[in-house]
Structures are given as structure tokens and as C-alpha cells.
Amino acid sequence: MKAHHGMYIGGEWRLAAGADTIEVVNPVDEQVIGRVPAGTAADVGHAVRAARAALPGWAATPPTERAAKLAALRDVLVARKDEIAETVTAELGSPLPFSQAVHAGVPILVAGSYAELAATYAFEEKVGNSTVYHEPVGVVGAITPWNYPLHQIVAKAAPALAAGCTVVLKPAEDTPLTAQLFAEAVAEADLPAGVFNLVTGLGPVAGQALAEHPDVDLVSFTGSTAVGRRIGATAGAAVKRVALELGGKSANVILPSADLAKAVNVGVANVMSNSGQTCSAWTRMLVHTSQYEEAVGLAAAAATKYGDRIGPVVSAKQRSRVRSYIEKGVAEGARLVVGGPESPREQGYFISPTVFADVTPDMTIAQEEIFGPVLSIIRYEDEEEAVRIANGTVYGLAGAVWAAEEAEAVAFARRLDTGQVDINGGRFNPLAPFGGYKQSGVGRELGSHGLTEYLQTKSFQF
Ligand code: NAP
Ligand code: MG
């Protein structure tokens, strides 16, 4: 993948209005691997105009034809799977097998699911004496983070395009090459000019210009709570639709009847994968007091095994952020079992898999999103306390419950204030709605619920 000097706007790569560039750094060896243009408000303006111009035609394209284009896009992603994985590995640092299976594999599934949904969804329905049309909301401004570079893009662009919306994307500054590769795929799949546009650039410049642009109808943002709050306020003031996916502090609740070793091992793997940079990661493990020390021992062994198999975090900034959380955990009295703030290697933004025991629910490491390979193990005395602790953060994105009987786990999970729960290690489902309760966000992504985010209804009465 070679970096483009331009932005993909109106179906062509055009030079940015300004001359500034962003360096893309490989987090494994800290070498600069490319440069992309740092877009400004002027570029965002061009892109929004292109998206607006393309909207009437794309919105009027029959859903089956939009489905065919999305299927073509999926096929291009399949054909370029290896290149996608290599690009994500180069700019995010994740080990290649994980990039192949997840960073390339999941977006292919999701793109395919929207090709199918576009073809089968009831965009028109009868309700009594009315006909209800589900119409595209309009021009979408999508702002994405770096943690799953292609998935985050596809989880917004695919449903938006399936709905008949047009898109302007501002991807994360740390992972713009994957975004450029996606724009190449859009071109190769022969989507009409202007239905998808890419403006690389910095969040407070290009991102903010996109979020504030008066001709954007819907802003879909994934990232930090601090930025999400501002984007929500801006959208509210302009009375425009907004979707926010703001991360979490999810609980992995191991009930006493569960298979402890399995629950702990899967739980540790969940936190360490992608170097802990997963908004839905189960970063708090809740264990009954009678099994607590056994669970801590199992978690320590599992995390140690991960040792050199995880990649670095994305940037020096994220590494120092994660380190300061680890230091805070120690300072607040948690017991460091494995790992710690010291760098395990001389080069690269690596953090050792870290496990804390004796974490109490009010500690900073039990409340705030760390976004690194750091697990906190918390003790509970009874089920009531487990519910209270699990629900005791501002977040509510995901979680897990383990018990001997599925019914016991389900009964507990129904009491959790969270958008997704994996029961006894349930598998990822790309059609299940993904999104948060409480401050984890507004709106849902994936499947038909993700599609309806980009639709608005018009009803005719007869
Ligand atoms: P972030 O700043 O919120 O980045 C998310 C996206 O928003 C990026 O494209 C970013 O651009 C853009 N952005 C930044 N400031 C903006 C603004 N004022 N207006 C519009 N867009 C703006 O997150 P981060 O700094 O990369 O990560 C910080 C923390 O956020 C992480 O440690 C983690 O806790 C959380 N996070 C959550 C998720 C999630 O999936 N929910 C993903 C990533 C991070 P730039 O790339 O130029 O900053
Ligand atoms: Mg940022």
C-alpha cells in the first residue's frame, strides 16, 4: 500500500487545499512509513459538496442496485485481504495473524451483511391506512478511531451506503493508510462518484470542520468521551442526528458455578487481544470471594503466556497514557500481579500484559477506560454486590457472564445496564446491535439496527 498525496473526493484523488502532511508511524519500530495530507475546512467543504451532489442519485438508486455495489465492494475487500492486513499491521502494530483474522476478516463480514440487508430490508411498509417509506437521512459525516481501523470505517460507511446516504469520512490520524485503501476499494468497486469521500487530517481541524458543517445531516462518531460529548453538543445545537460510540469499562462476571479456568482464560484473552485497544473489552473481572485467589493465579498465568505475543499500542501518546494508569493503580493500592509500567522492549510502543488484583470498585483503574492490555480483578461477596459493581461505572457497552447453566447466566445478564453481553463465551455476531447504555454512547451499529440509524421515515395516509 502506497500513501496517496491526495484526498478521495467526488470519485477522484485530488490534492489537498493546504500543504501540511501527517506522518504515519509504525508502532513496532517507530519508523515513518508514509505521509498523508492534513486536510482543512476547505477540503471538508469540497467533500461535503461532492457528497451532497451525489445524494439524490444514490438515494434514488433501487436498493437492489445499491446492494450489488456493496457486494462488489465486499469482493474487492476479499481480493485485497492480505494487503489490508499488512497495512493495518504496519500502522497499528497488531500481529499479522490477528490483522488477517479480525482487522481484515470482520469488515468483510460486515460489508457482506449490508450487501444482503440492502437487498432484503423493507424500505417500504404498510401500517394500517398508511404507507411508511424508510428514506436515507442524507449526507453523513463519519469520524473514526484507530483501534480497528477498517472495521470502524465499514461499520459506518456500509450501512450508510446501504440506506442511500452519501458519506464523508475523517479517519484517525494514526491509521489513515487503511482509510486510503478503503477509498481505493470504493473506486475499484465502481461506486458512483461522490457517494463516498475521504478527508484525512487532524481531529480538531478536519474532524471538527466535518462535525460542524451545516450541510452534514448526520454525524457518526466513535472515539473518546471527551470528543464525543462536544460532537453531541454541536449536533444538538444544529438539530441534526448524531450517533456516538464512546467506549466502556465492561465487566466479566464469573458466577461461582462457572467453569473458572475457561472463564478466566477467555477473559484474559479478551482484554489482551489488540493490545487492550478494544472499546468493548471486559477490563474488569468480577470473581466471587471463595474463588478469588485461584482466579488471580489463573489470570496471572494466562497473561504471562501472552507476554510477547501481543503487539504494541498505537502511539507514544497512548503508551504514556496507559503507563500512567498502571502507575495510578499501584499508587491507589491495587496489587500488581503481572506486568507493570516499564517498557518490555527498547523500541516500539510496547506495554507488558498487566494484571491487577485487590482492585476495589472505586479505584481509577476500575472506573476509567485505560485502552491498554490491563486487567483489573475485583472481588464480590454475593450476587447483589456483583450486580452493583458491574453496573457501577458511567459506561455500559458490553460484558460477559459465566455460569454452569445458561439460564443462570441469562438471569444475571438481564440485570446489567449494558448493550451487549456474551453468555458463557458466546461468539461475535456481526448482525447483533452494538452500542451502549449510559455514557457508552447513543445509537447502535451493525445489522438492521445499524441500518436504521441512517434512515428516517415518511408516512403517507390513504
Ligand atoms: P479521539 O481523539 O476521540 O479520536 C477519535 C476520532 O475523533 C479521531 O478521528 C480523531 O482525530 C477525531 N477527533 C479528535 N478531536 C476531534 C474534534 N475536536 N472534533 C472532531 N473530531 C475529533 O480519541 P483518541 O485521542 O484517539 O484516543 C483517546 C482515548 O479515547 C483512548 O485512550 C480510549 O480511551 C478512547 N477511544 C475509544 C474508542 C472507541 O472505540 N470507543 C476508540 C479510540 C479511542 P485524530 O485521530 O486526529 O485525533
Ligand atoms: Mg486524538
Side-chain angles (χ1 to χ4, degrees):
M1 167 84 209
K2 203 175 151 297
H4 287 270
H5 298 304
M7 318 244 179
Y8 188 69
I9 295 176
E12 57 188 25
W13 292 92
R14 54 184 283 175
L15 288 181
D20 288 351
T21 58
I22 296 171
E23 285 185 345
V24 188
V25 175
N26 183 326
V28 171
D29 60 13
E30 304 179 37
Q31 299 300 303
V32 175
I33 55 171
R35 280 183 183 76
V36 301
T40 57
D43 302 301
V44 168
H46 290 141
V48 173
R49 266 196 298 284
R52 177 61 59 189
L55 181 65
W58 185 243
T61 300
T64 49
E65 278 177 43
R66 297 202 297 259
K69 291 291 185 196
L70 282 169
L73 177 59
R74 188 260 334 268
D75 292 345
V76 175
L77 297 179
V78 171
R80 299 182 71 171
K81 196 169 188 271
D82 290 340
E83 198 186 346
I84 292 168
E86 283 155 21
T87 304
V88 174
T89 288
E91 61 184 1
L92 181 68
S94 59
L96 194 58
F98 188 78
S99 294
Q100 285 161 334
V102 177
H103 290 299
V106 174
I108 288 168
L109 278 180
V110 173
S113 76
Y114 281 111
E116 207 170 308
L117 269 165
T120 55
Y121 191 78
F123 288 96
E124 200 182 310
E125 59 173 329
K126 293 260 186 264
V127 180
N129 63 312
S130 303
T131 300
V132 180
Y133 299 92
H134 297 258
E135 300 191 338
V137 172
V139 173
V140 172
I143 301 172
T144 55
W146 41 263
N147 62 337
Y148 289 88
L150 186 58
H151 169 68
Q152 303 282 18
I153 292 169
V154 171
K156 298 186 191 307
L161 295 171
C165 293
T166 57
V167 179
V168 176
L169 168 70
K170 202 305 279 179
E173 66 185 84
D174 292 318
T175 54
L177 300 180
T178 306
Q180 290 191 338
L181 211 168
F182 179 74
E184 283 183 8
V186 166
E188 214 177 310
D190 209 21
L191 269 75
V195 304
F196 175 85
N197 308 275
L198 170 67
V199 177
T200 50
L202 301 179
V205 183
Q208 193 161 330
L210 183 58
E212 290 175 348
H213 199 293
D215 211 24
V216 168
D217 299 301
L218 183 160
V219 180
S220 181
F221 169 83
T222 299
S224 65
T225 307
V227 175
R229 202 173 264 134
R230 285 185 56 174
I231 287 177
T234 303
V239 197
K240 67 173 69 164
R241 294 264 290 262
V242 66
L244 304 170
E245 207 275 85
L246 307 180
K249 193 71 195 176
S250 297
N252 178 16
V253 183
I254 305 176
L255 295 174
S257 66
D259 177 341
L260 185 69
K262 185 175 178 202
V264 170
N265 283 325
V266 175
V268 170
N270 173 283
V271 172
M272 300 308 162
S273 87
N274 211 36
S275 304
Q277 304 167 120
T278 305
C279 46
S280 56
W282 314 326
T283 49
R284 297 178 300 149
M285 183 181 285
L286 273 56
V287 182
H288 188 262
T289 189
S290 65
Q291 299 171 317
Y292 192 77
E293 286 307 328
E294 191 185 350
V296 169
L298 288 165
T304 306
K305 216 175 61 202
Y306 266 86
D308 43 14
R309 275 197 287 139
I310 65 169
V313 295
V314 70
S315 63
K317 183 184 124 194
Q318 282 300 116
R319 181 181 55 188
S320 62
R321 207 186 122 95
V322 175
R323 270 188 189 157
S324 68
Y325 273 115
I326 296 174
E327 283 159 2
K328 209 165 222 166
V330 173
E332 290 183 8
R335 169 165 48 118
L336 184 62
V337 184
V338 174
E342 300 79 25
S343 274
R345 297 194 202 181
E346 300 217 326
Q347 202 179 38
Y349 309 129
F350 288 88
I351 302 261
S352 294
T354 296
V355 175
F356 278 108
D358 299 343
V359 177
T360 57
D362 53 326
M363 285 181 184
T364 306
I365 57 168
Q367 288 291 327
E368 294 183 17
E369 186 172 53
I370 299 173
F371 237 58
V374 183
L375 171 68
S376 295
I377 312 183
I378 305 176
R379 180 194 303 270
Y380 68 83
E381 303 287 338
D382 57 36
E383 207 170 297
E384 291 309 308
E385 190 183 22
V387 172
R388 241 183 356 258
I389 296 170
N391 289 337
T393 76
V394 297
Y395 294 112
L397 185 57
V401 181
W402 302 79
E405 301 296 331
E406 219 166 81
E408 185 193 358
V410 168
F412 186 93
R414 291 298 299 265
R415 302 178 69 190
L416 297 179
D417 303 329
T418 190
Q420 285 221 339
V421 184
D422 290 355
I423 304 292
N424 284 340
R427 277 174 305 117
F428 172 70
N429 176 1
L431 295 175
F434 181 90
Y437 278 38
K438 301 191 286 183
Q439 286 184 32
S440 283
V442 176
R444 294 291 180 269
E445 294 195 314
L446 305 183
S448 61
H449 295 271
L451 180 63
T452 58
E453 291 286 326
Y454 298 95
L455 294 168
Q456 57 190 344
T457 58
K458 178 189 282 174
S459 52
F460 290 175
Q461 283 60 247
F462 295 91

